[in-house]
Amino acid sequence: LTFKNPPGFVPGGYVQLCIPRISRIEWHAFSIHALDEQVDHSCLCIAKAGDWTTKLFEEIGWASHDVCWIQGPFASPFATAVSYSNIIAVASGVGITPCVSALQQLRDYRRVHLIWTCRDASMIEYYLNNIDLDNDAYTIIFYTGKTPLRLQKSLPDNCLFFYERPNWESTIKSIVAAIESGDGLPEDSYAASACIEDIMRDVGEGDSFNHDDATLALKAAVMQAYRIVGASVVEELLQIPADGEEKVMDRRQLEQWLYLWNPGFKVTDEFMAMLRAGFGAEENPSAVSVSKLFGFCRTVLSEYEAAQEKLTAFKDALVNKASPENPQVAIVDG
């Protein structure tokens, strides 16, 4: 249920809802959250779970406009979360709504980690397709349904998906351990995946590739290749013949080499100038030094591979396939 916010209305918490078409005397409480894709609008996510909601779904099973009476909003149990710098919100099914509301209100100045177990594919699709998650926190989803998911956008590396039930103790302890140790911070995972997404979106526009930072583009290409074909294939592309001579690449050779990474790469004058500035050959200023260029890419590969290994270890710890790095972390109230 979506509505335009009345003057002075601040989304958050929950509201009491009455729909006269269903019943003039029944009021029901629902958590409320803002719509990221629709400015100045709020939403109630209502699951079919009782007589009133069943009748609602039977009476209004399509997009329509109708009269609703709303009281609120009232403070939710998450109202005190602002007192903490790191928050772990845990939800099951439609209970995700108050967690999303807290995430939207606090994500700009708090870490709001989200753990969600759900078997409803449409509910997961709606939230992941329409809600902006916290880039500095982990979103961990345990999907227990059987219907294949259809997501409209790729998920960043700090959004983790599992097709099984959670081990709550391992999951929560692993998040706490990652934040306390500073090793495996969610913003690091997000930054790497966001870099790939942004650069490849530019490449996919079909025009000449002209990103502001050539080294950033190369990093994105290396990381994307690692994801698609694996480290061993990428390493083969970065092998330098050991004949003692300095190898260089002109523009045509560079285009051929970049095509192996991604067919969408097109070398513009600006892009070539950036590469010459960063990896120029000493004896041939118009060309790019292979040793400098490949050395940079190997460093990127090594760093990204190490980050992915940490992320894999973290994911294993979440489902109790490995112990968290800080096993003495205890779960306490407050």
Side-chain angles (χ1 to χ4, degrees):
L1 187 153
T2 302
F3 61 90
K4 182 175 175 59
N5 298 334
F9 186 87
V10 180
Y14 69 94
V15 295
Q16 294 284 352
L17 172 69
C18 176
I19 302 180
R21 177 173 173 176
I22 307 301
S23 172
R24 287 178 173 270
I25 61 174
E26 288 189 57
W27 292 79
H28 296 269
F30 294 98
S31 297
I32 185 172
H33 70 82
L35 283 176
D36 286 329
E37 76 280 9
Q38 204 167 352
V39 178
D40 203 29
H41 281 69
S42 295
C43 179
L44 308 181
C45 187
I46 302 174
K48 185 178 178 181
D51 294 341
W52 188 85
T53 54
T54 298
K55 188 176 181 180
L56 174 63
F57 274 71
E58 292 173 350
E59 289 282 334
I60 310 174
W62 56 89
S64 63
H65 292 81
D66 216 318
V67 175
C68 298
W69 297 338
I70 292 177
Q71 290 182 339
F74 305 99
S76 79
F78 284 96
T80 59
V82 70
S83 302
Y84 303 90
S85 57
N86 285 279
I87 301 159
I88 300 178
V90 180
S92 175
V94 74
I96 186 65
T97 309
C99 296
V100 167
S101 179
L103 183 150
Q104 290 176 317
Q105 291 180 325
L106 302 174
R107 64 189 170 199
D108 291 337
Y109 52 96
R110 297 287 190 275
R111 288 185 194 271
V112 185
H113 305 280
L114 176 62
I115 306 172
W116 184 23
T117 175
C118 184
R119 63 183 179 183
D120 188 333
S122 63
M123 195 179 300
I124 291 178
E125 290 166 358
Y126 169 77
Y127 278 106
L128 291 185
N129 289 331
N130 292 283
I131 301 299
D132 294 329
L133 302 173
D134 189 342
N135 300 338
D136 295 332
Y138 282 112
T139 296
I140 303 169
I141 300 172
F142 294 90
Y143 177 51
T144 57
K146 297 181 180 179
T147 304
L149 293 170
R150 293 173 296 180
L151 301 179
Q152 298 174 3
K153 59 184 180 182
S154 59
L155 300 177
D157 284 351
N158 62 318
C159 182
L160 308 177
F161 222 94
F162 299 93
Y163 291 86
E164 58 186 288
R165 295 185 180 279
N167 180 313
W168 294 110
E169 183 175 2
S170 294
T171 300
I172 294 175
K173 281 186 174 181
S174 296
I175 294 175
V176 175
I179 300 304
E180 289 289 332
S181 67
D183 192 15
L185 292 174
E187 57 264 37
D188 296 337
S189 299
Y190 172 81
S193 55
C195 171
I196 298 174
E197 187 76 14
D198 291 343
I199 299 298
M200 293 305 122
R201 188 185 299 114
D202 291 344
V203 171
E205 292 179 352
D207 299 326
S208 296
F209 185 75
N210 182 22
H211 195 268
D212 291 339
D213 190 342
T215 58
L216 188 61
L218 288 174
K219 291 173 73 171
V222 172
M223 290 186 289
Q224 187 193 46
Y226 174 91
R227 287 182 166 191
I228 297 174
V229 300
S232 59
V233 176
V234 177
E235 289 173 353
E236 290 182 9
L237 291 173
L238 298 174
Q239 291 296 322
I240 302 175
D243 56 8
E245 296 183 6
E246 181 185 12
K247 302 295 181 180
V248 297
M249 283 194 290
D250 57 24
R251 181 168 179 161
R252 181 184 61 81
Q253 293 169 321
L254 188 63
E255 287 178 338
Q256 293 174 344
W257 181 71
L258 287 174
Y259 184 87
L260 298 175
W261 296 88
N262 189 301
F265 270 106
K266 294 181 180 179
V267 180
T268 63
D269 293 338
E270 294 84 355
F271 186 81
M272 189 67 189
M274 292 179 190
L275 290 181
R276 289 176 185 142
F279 312 104
E282 295 181 1
E283 297 182 358
N284 187 354
S286 64
V288 172
S289 168
V290 171
S291 61
K292 292 180 181 179
L293 180 63
F294 284 20
F296 170 80
C297 292
R298 280 196 297 269
T299 300
V300 172
L301 175 63
S302 177
E303 292 175 352
Y304 188 64
E305 191 172 15
Q308 290 300 299
E309 289 175 354
K310 289 183 180 179
L311 184 60
T312 299
F314 176 72
K315 292 173 67 174
D316 289 344
L318 289 174
V319 292
N320 207 25
K321 293 181 180 178
S323 299
E325 294 186 10
N326 192 11
Q328 71 270 19
V329 171
I331 302 174
V332 296
D333 292 333

